[in-house]
Amino acid sequence: FSAGTLNSHPAGSEIDSFDRVIRFNNAPVGGKWKNAVGSKTTDMVVHAARQGNPESPAETFARKGSADVNGILFLKPSETLQELLPTGTKPKHGSWDSQQGTWEHCSNLLHMPPEKWCSSGALTVIYAMQTCSSVTVFGANNDPCQPYHYWDPPAVGCSQGKESGPIRPYHEMQEEHNFYKQMAAAGKIK
């Protein structure tokens, strides 16, 4: 994950020791982040929502992603990869793995209300459980006093029980964290 808790629980060399390292939405690695999160990326999960930005993480990755990194995009039932990327976008990176059905599977597993949707993290955990022989998750600690992403500024004036970062009204983060705990207790993720 890209949680701010990775700054206080650095695991860069351990993360880099895995054969497959899946990251999210073009998260920065290496350099000043190497100790916390490592520098290796084999797969990059990106979403196609622009959320007020000039381009989506999927569009940025298509233009700038490393040729050695596989792109992963979870498609909603009516979406296609071709319609989510601008015409003429020539991917710089190796390949796309566009997944249909993961959104619905995640929503059903987590009992999401229709106005909410699963985060990239929840979608990826489900995908990894289906495609990898073992799954180890880093940065899934839920600490409201840490920044939302490890590259965000440190939390200021936080008290336990009051979230310091931006509110994510479109995700059910507590439900997702409960799901991760259930999967860890069942031995499906570490």
Side-chain angles (χ1 to χ4, degrees):
F1 290 92
S2 299
T5 56
L6 286 164
N7 290 320
S8 56
H9 303 286
S13 57
E14 185 179 358
I15 292 169
D16 283 348
S17 73
F18 288 90
D19 291 335
R20 191 171 184 194
V21 178
I22 304 174
R23 304 217 185 245
F24 304 96
N25 296 320
N26 306 309
V29 297
K32 70 179 185 177
W33 309 114
K34 187 172 183 171
N35 186 48
V37 301
S39 57
K40 181 178 182 178
T41 303
T42 59
D43 300 85
M44 182 66 72
V45 171
V46 289
H47 65 75
R50 290 191 174 168
Q51 298 175 324
N53 297 309
E55 65 182 11
S56 71
E59 292 167 311
T60 301
F61 182 69
R63 284 189 316 100
K64 297 181 178 180
S66 167
D68 299 328
V69 177
N70 180 51
I72 301 173
L73 185 62
F74 298 106
L75 301 174
K76 293 179 181 173
S78 61
E79 296 175 330
T80 66
L81 181 61
Q82 293 74 28
E83 70 186 354
L84 294 176
L85 294 178
T87 304
T89 300
K90 298 206 186 284
K92 178 182 171 188
H93 58 86
S95 64
W96 280 106
D97 184 1
S98 53
Q99 293 290 310
Q100 288 278 3
T102 310
W103 281 95
E104 297 81 11
H105 186 57
C106 184
S107 292
N108 291 335
L109 277 174
L110 298 176
H111 310 289
M112 288 285 179
E115 69 277 4
K116 305 276 183 164
W117 58 88
C118 294
S119 70
S120 296
L123 292 164
T124 302
V125 167
I126 291 168
Y127 168 80
M129 289 187 324
Q130 295 169 345
T131 61
C132 300
S133 59
S134 66
V135 178
T136 303
V137 176
F138 294 88
N141 316 58
N142 190 13
D143 184 344
C145 291
Q146 292 291 327
Y148 189 74
H149 298 112
Y150 59 82
W151 61 87
D152 289 338
V156 179
C158 177
S159 61
Q160 286 296 328
K162 182 175 184 260
E163 193 162 332
S164 65
I167 295 175
R168 306 289 183 209
Y170 35 84
H171 298 315
E172 290 285 353
M173 300 310 279
Q174 192 56 52
E175 286 301 318
E176 291 187 14
H177 283 278
N178 291 341
F179 171 71
Y180 307 142
K181 288 176 188 173
Q182 291 170 355
M183 294 300 101
K188 295 185 178 187
I189 65 173
K190 298 175 192 166

